[in-house]
Amino acid sequence: MSKTATANGHDEVVQKAAADANTVQDACNLVAVVGCFHRHLVALHQSGVSGDDLINHPVALAFTSKLNSLCRMSLDREMAAFDAINKLQRGEDVEYDVIPL
């Protein structure tokens, strides 16, 4: 079952989060994007947006899209990453592909 939610465009927290979600679309600094994303997720949560509404909020989707783009995410890269983290967790070294921006 699907439902909808409404993002309050009059809320200053939402406006700032949306502005930064647009701004980071041109960013290439993963640490800065993640930090900004975290800051806005916390602010949205503190303003009453939570659970599925937060996960599916347009701001969350825009930041997630940017992270996918920066990491050049594909299903193959995702599966390789999960394989690699399992090996790393066991103390094994791993090689991974680096795709330049």
Side-chain angles (χ1 to χ4, degrees), residues 23-40:
T23 300
V24 300
Q25 297 308 309
D26 293 327
C28 61
N29 181 332
L30 182 63
V31 174
V33 172
V34 169
C36 188
F37 187 17
H38 177 260
R39 189 171 54 255
H40 288 300

Side-chain angles (χ1 to χ4, degrees), residues 5-33:
T6 301
N8 182 357
H10 299 287
D11 184 334
E12 187 177 328
V13 169
V14 174
Q15 289 176 352
K16 179 63 176 148
D20 282 352
N22 265 334
T23 300
V24 300
Q25 297 308 309
D26 293 327
C28 61
N29 181 332
L30 182 63
V31 174
V33 172

Side-chain angles (χ1 to χ4, degrees), residues 41-82:
L41 284 178
V42 169
L44 287 166
H45 188 260
Q46 289 173 340
S47 74
V49 182
S50 62
D52 289 339
D53 292 352
L54 182 60
I55 293 168
N56 293 281
H57 195 281
V59 167
L61 297 179
F63 272 99
T64 301
S65 173
K66 182 58 184 181
L67 294 174
N68 278 327
S69 174
L70 279 176
C71 294
R72 304 293 195 256
M73 192 57 75
S74 67
L75 182 58
D76 289 341
R77 282 179 62 78
E78 183 177 5
M79 298 312 296
F82 284 121

